[in-house]
Amino acid sequence: MNKTILEKNVSTFKEDPRYKQCNKEALYGVILGIANMIWWYVLGYGLGSKPVEEYTYILGFPSWFFYSCILGAVVFIALTFIIVDKGFKNMPLDRMTEEEAEVYERQHNKEGA
Amino acid sequence: MSNVDFKVLIPIVLYFIFMYFIGIYAAKLLNKVKHKAQGDGSAYMDEYMTGGRDTGGFVLAMTLVATYLSAGSFIGGPGSAYTHGLAWVFLAMAQMPTGYYTLAVLGKKFAIVSRKINANSVTDFLRARYQSKAVVIIASVSIVFFLIAAMSAQWIGAARLLQGSTGLDYTVALAFFGITVVVHTAIGGYRGVVLNDTMQGIVMTISTFALFIAVVVKGGGIANLVQTMRAINPGMITPFGIKEGFMTTPWVTSFWILVGFATIGLPSIAQRAMSYKDSQSLNSGIKVGTLVSIVLLLGMHLVGAFGSTIISVESGDLVVPTLAVTLFSPVIAGIILSGPLASVMSTVDSQLLVVVGAIVNDLYVNYINPEFGKNPSKVQKLTIGAAVLIGVITFIAAYNPPELMVWLNLFATAGQLSTFLWPTMLGLYWKKANKEGAIASMLVGIGSYVIFNYFLPRPLLMHPIVSSLLLSLVVFVIVSKMTKEPSKEIIQTFWGI
């Protein structure tokens, strides 16, 4: 409801076409961060909460630490590389003129289709 | 002073001298801009504060990592890991998102917006977005206050390190370190700082690897080290540490907010997200930054934790210097200790730059004497003068050091987060965020943090930053909804073409 009012108020307003992609990338960052925290939490506390006598070890580390921090680090470094390569796009960063914005939008829509 | 170890000291001194050269080199570039600009101080300020937005991917990654990783990560953190074992390494890994989160979330949008409004600092961004004197003044005062606290904590760490490893007198060590930082920042500006950060990032990496390998070899392998830790105290190898009720699950997890997700609110970090050259730099910066920061954090904290089986020190802060001196010959130890010193220097130089920016750019030129900004020579004199003045104040604050610097550092960090996180984030992503909301949120954020800190150390069992950030978010949204929306001009500037 609020959104429709805002859109009506600024009916002549045209949003910078690059922002759609920017917002998507920001969202990837947030999702990656939350996934990272869940991984760390579930494996760290999941395996680390039992008594020390029952711990198993991987490469010398207690398994909770290995999975949560070491494997977690490797996995999330890899995921960062993959997401940046696949999901992040190059774009000009300087102020655009109307024409440049239209060209950008057309190219972008073509890619999307 | 009689027991100064020159073999350790000399490599460090050489390293510091090198910093001066980088500063001088950057100052030459600055002077070029000054002469080219002919009577316009704003081009000078642009160059001084953001290096002319020319940072490439590798340099962006290194300056971000080096700025973020500080005495906390290289001295205090390993010190706590020494005391609490793997649990503290686990806690430190809440910083895993450092490399990707800030750069991805502020992202290209922040870079585009800051070019549209010609912003050189986060405060510039806030000024343009909210067009409110109160917002700018609260932001600038918060920068000056909290960053001087943060810097003095860092200086203490560096001076302790120099004192512990070389035998220099604390005061001499502090002055030696402080002068190096102030000089290279004052003359070199942002470019000097990022160039230094890049080199320091490399030194930090080498140093981390060397220490880690030496500790593992000395301890007879990881399995052996872990079992020895277990024999000392089984708590050392659990996620809960050695002290019942200290490293509780909600408290440890809340560090994901304090040192992870909320770091977007650190002005010295956010400034890096407006200075890169192009989107390729950002993309590769995210990758390299993530890789380097995770490896360094994991490596240094493990060094601290494993160190507990090799040496015994009276204060956690001394683990890293003591290990370096114990495991290596003096000259090599000096080179390795340049790593932690670099981590401190690369943090404080960026912070110092932000404080100088707050005083000169945000307060003086904007509100007190706008005519002044047109003359590059005068702006240059004022920036250098401000850097020296802040250096002296920080020196005085660091002269009488408190016991564990990690806490002082966290207090200062939380203060900056409470001020900047929501006004920056919502200002960038929420069209309805307005000045009333921003002011209310900053005041509630800082106020509630201070109150929690004194009266309710663990609200909801978590670090107080979580509650104060939640409160300030709620207040921001409610107040913004109740008051007038930002003007069409602001929306057009920030969201339009």
Side-chain angles (χ1 to χ4, degrees), chain B residues 28-351:
Chain B
K28 276 199 180 139
L29 292 177
L30 256 177
N31 267 325
K32 253 192 222 157
V33 173
K34 190 175 105 185
H35 292 307
K36 234 189 332 192
Q38 281 174 1
D40 187 8
S42 71
Y44 177 83
M45 213 56 212
D46 210 40
E47 172 70 23
Y48 192 83
M49 293 301 295
T50 46
R53 294 189 215 284
D54 201 23
T55 316
F58 179 71
V59 175
L60 173 70
M62 287 320 243
T63 183
L64 181 84
V65 171
T67 300
Y68 182 74
L69 299 183
S70 59
S73 343
F74 266 71
I75 306 167
S80 298
Y82 169 90
T83 313
H84 301 281
L86 290 181
W88 200 274
V89 187
F90 181 59
L91 180 150
M93 291 314 277
Q95 298 168 88
M96 270 194 273
T98 307
Y100 62 81
Y101 197 78
T102 316
L103 287 179
V105 171
L106 287 175
K108 290 158 194 159
K109 193 168 182 184
F110 195 56
I112 292 171
V113 166
S114 70
R115 281 164 160 84
K116 282 182 179 168
I117 57 176
N118 205 13
N120 288 324
S121 65
V122 184
T123 315
D124 273 347
F125 170 84
L126 299 181
R127 179 187 14 255
R129 177 66 179 80
Y130 298 108
Q131 303 196 338
S132 151
K133 239 183 199 182
V135 169
V136 175
I137 289 169
I138 298 171
S140 313
V141 169
S142 154
I143 282 179
V144 172
F145 180 78
F146 289 121
L147 278 181
I148 288 179
M151 284 194 294
S152 65
Q154 299 286 323
W155 287 31
I156 292 165
R160 279 268 179 85
L161 187 87
L162 273 173
Q163 180 193 21
S165 52
T166 65
L168 274 181
D169 194 53
Y170 179 76
T171 319
V172 177
L174 191 65
F176 175 47
F177 179 81
I179 291 168
T180 309
V181 171
V182 171
V183 169
H184 92 239
T185 311
I187 62 171
Y190 186 82
R191 202 186 288 270
V193 167
V194 278
L195 285 176
N196 264 321
D197 283 1
T198 306
M199 208 198 48
Q200 281 156 339
I202 296 167
V203 171
M204 283 151 69
T205 310
I206 296 170
S207 177
T208 303
F209 275 100
L211 272 170
F212 184 77
I213 293 167
V215 167
V216 170
V217 169
K218 174 84 180 172
I222 292 169
N224 204 16
L225 282 161
V226 169
Q227 293 311 320
T228 317
M229 282 166 72
R230 182 185 168 177
I232 296 172
N233 184 332
M236 297 279 282
I237 64 163
T238 72
F240 305 102
I242 50 162
K243 217 164 75 190
E244 189 81 28
F246 177 61
M247 298 191 67
T248 58
T249 309
W251 188 74
V252 171
T253 308
S254 59
F255 275 75
W256 276 81
I257 307 290
L258 177 65
V259 293
F261 302 140
T263 49
I264 293 173
L266 295 177
S268 57
I269 298 289
Q271 196 176 9
R272 262 121 199 93
M274 49 170 66
S275 68
Y276 51 84
K277 191 165 54 181
D278 48 28
S279 61
Q280 285 91 331
S281 310
L282 177 78
N283 294 351
S284 60
I286 292 177
K287 292 198 269 186
V288 179
T290 303
L291 178 68
V292 176
S293 62
I294 291 182
V295 168
L296 294 192
L297 281 164
L298 191 60
M300 277 317 287
H301 284 84
L302 279 175
V303 164
F306 290 162
S308 60
T309 66
I310 296 172
I311 49 163
S312 133
V313 290
E314 50 191 285
S315 157
D317 290 356
L318 295 172
V319 177
V320 172
T322 313
L323 277 174
V325 180
T326 316
L327 298 175
F328 295 96
S329 66
V331 177
I332 307 283
I335 296 170
I336 284 174
L337 286 173
S338 301
L341 281 172
S343 78
V344 182
M345 209 172 329
S346 55
T347 303
V348 289
D349 59 8
S350 312
Q351 292 173 331

Side-chain angles (χ1 to χ4, degrees), chain A residues 62-76:
Chain A
S63 61
W64 69 267
F65 184 83
F66 179 82
Y67 285 121
S68 158
C69 295
I70 304 209
L71 188 63
V74 174
V75 166
F76 280 87

